[in-house]
Amino acid sequence: MKKGEFINLLKASIKGISQIIFIENTISGLLILLAITITSVPLGIIVFLSAVIGTLVATVGGADKTLVSKGLMGYNSVLTGLALQSFLTGPNAWVVALIGAAVAAIFTATLMHFIGHIGIPVLTLPFILVTWFVLLESYKFKSITLSDELVPQSLANWELHIAGEINLLDVIFNGIGQIFFIIETIPSILLFLAVFWASRKFGIYAIIGNAVAFFTALALGGEHTQIVLGLYGYNAILTILAVSAVFNTKENRYAPITGVLAACITVPLSASVSIWLLPYGLPALTMPFVLSTWLILGARKIMPNL
């Protein structure tokens, strides 16, 4: 590989990290990578390698060069590697995570082909499906071991706990942090910086989306622990960015309002999806974001003002 090609590969890989939050910016990508590495050096290494692997698989596979250079073929690989490294344990976890990153790149191309024809973006669906399948495989393969935090639970024994204090600063920072499985203040500040560095509008929408999720979850009587941990906020942030700032046109005159509505919808969707997956011990990941965003983007095909 020539020097110029290697540099382009690195740039596209870093953009693959930033594209998780719809940003095509190497500085933002580096800030996100730094935030993850501060939280955990092994996770930072896995994220970087996953980004390179996803980009390399797309390049070798002959994917459109524009898509590759923008990082659009790598972000699902990054999320997959990050999630599998976070939810698996044992000596083979990093190997499984990197293989998952490669598979996610191929699966991204597959879904782009089938879903792209109807004008709907694949978003993070490849990451979600690959991660769920690998986590479920742990019940059949000894070499894949789940971490203790993913435990199947019976709905018959489920109890709702709404007690506990709410620290607003934790809500603010954990909301964006959970996009990257982060619940620490300083790394989360770096994530906000990464967003604002690329776009002030994106940064403002991220804050609004997080606030909308907080008030919606509070109004619905959600668990305070879940709210504080940002488990309702991160899907709302991604959704409002997608609906109001990324996949909108001048024709969508009510896009800011629609984005807020879509962010609100992610809260009950998060609750529903997480309960649906409870017996399997699977995390909801970004499925509420995908479903809510598809809901609005699909509706726009018939009601373009949205």
Side-chain angles (χ1 to χ4, degrees):
M1 181 179 291
K2 297 179 181 178
K3 182 179 179 181
E5 294 176 340
F6 179 71
I7 292 175
N8 289 336
L9 174 67
L10 286 181
K11 286 182 177 179
S13 299
I14 297 301
K15 288 179 182 178
I17 298 174
S18 67
Q19 281 287 4
I20 293 171
I21 46 178
F22 303 108
I23 290 172
E24 183 192 343
N25 188 289
T26 52
I27 299 298
S28 295
L30 288 171
L31 286 172
I32 294 170
L33 180 60
L34 176 61
I36 297 170
T37 305
I38 289 174
T39 303
S40 168
V41 173
L43 276 182
I45 294 173
I46 288 294
V47 163
F48 176 72
L49 292 179
S50 296
V52 172
I53 287 172
T55 305
L56 193 58
V57 168
T59 302
V60 173
D64 181 88
K65 292 183 178 180
T66 301
L67 290 176
V68 175
S69 65
K70 288 183 175 182
L72 292 172
M73 297 301 297
Y75 69 94
N76 274 296
S77 295
V78 174
L79 283 170
T80 302
L82 177 59
L84 292 178
Q85 181 66 17
S86 298
F87 294 126
L88 296 177
T89 187
N92 298 321
W94 68 275
V95 177
V96 177
L98 295 181
I99 292 175
V103 173
I106 298 173
F107 200 31
T108 298
T110 301
L111 291 181
M112 279 183 171
H113 171 70
F114 288 108
I115 299 179
H117 288 315
I118 59 176
I120 297 294
V122 299
L123 302 175
T124 54
L125 185 62
F127 143 64
I128 296 167
L129 295 181
V130 172
T131 301
W132 281 350
F133 274 111
V134 173
L135 294 181
L136 287 174
E137 287 166 6
S138 65
Y139 293 99
K140 287 290 186 179
F141 300 123
K142 187 177 180 180
S143 59
I144 303 175
T145 308
L146 281 179
S147 66
D148 294 335
E149 63 179 289
L150 294 181
V151 180
Q153 299 180 52
S154 172
L155 287 176
N157 302 320
W158 177 256
E159 294 182 3
L160 181 65
H161 302 285
I162 58 173
E165 297 181 358
I166 294 180
N167 186 314
L168 287 178
L169 285 179
D170 287 340
V171 174
I172 292 170
F173 293 123
N174 289 342
I176 192 169
Q178 283 287 3
I179 297 174
F180 303 93
F181 306 97
I182 291 174
I183 51 172
E184 295 181 19
T185 302
I186 293 179
S188 295
I189 291 174
L190 285 175
L191 295 178
F192 268 119
L193 180 60
V195 178
F196 274 98
W197 177 274
S199 170
R200 184 181 301 176
K201 181 175 74 171
F202 274 41
I204 293 172
Y205 271 129
I207 292 173
I208 293 173
N210 204 12
V212 164
F214 168 67
F215 288 115
T216 303
L218 206 60
L220 291 174
E223 290 186 72
H224 290 185
T225 302
Q226 303 290 306
I227 295 173
V228 171
L229 287 175
L231 294 175
Y232 289 115
Y234 74 98
N235 276 295
I237 291 173
L238 290 173
T239 301
I240 196 171
L241 286 175
V243 172
S244 297
V246 180
F247 300 107
N248 66 307
T249 64
K250 292 181 179 179
E251 190 177 24
N252 310 131
R253 64 181 70 178
Y254 301 122
I257 298 173
T258 308
V260 170
L261 174 62
C264 288
I265 293 173
T266 63
V267 175
L269 278 176
S270 295
S272 179
V273 172
S274 62
I275 289 296
W276 177 60
L277 295 172
L278 201 66
Y280 305 100
L282 295 176
L285 303 176
T286 53
M287 183 55 88
F289 147 64
V290 171
L291 294 175
S292 184
T293 301
W294 279 357
L295 175 69
I296 300 301
L297 298 187
R300 280 178 177 170
K301 300 293 183 181
I302 305 299
M303 298 180 284
N305 287 344
L306 292 180

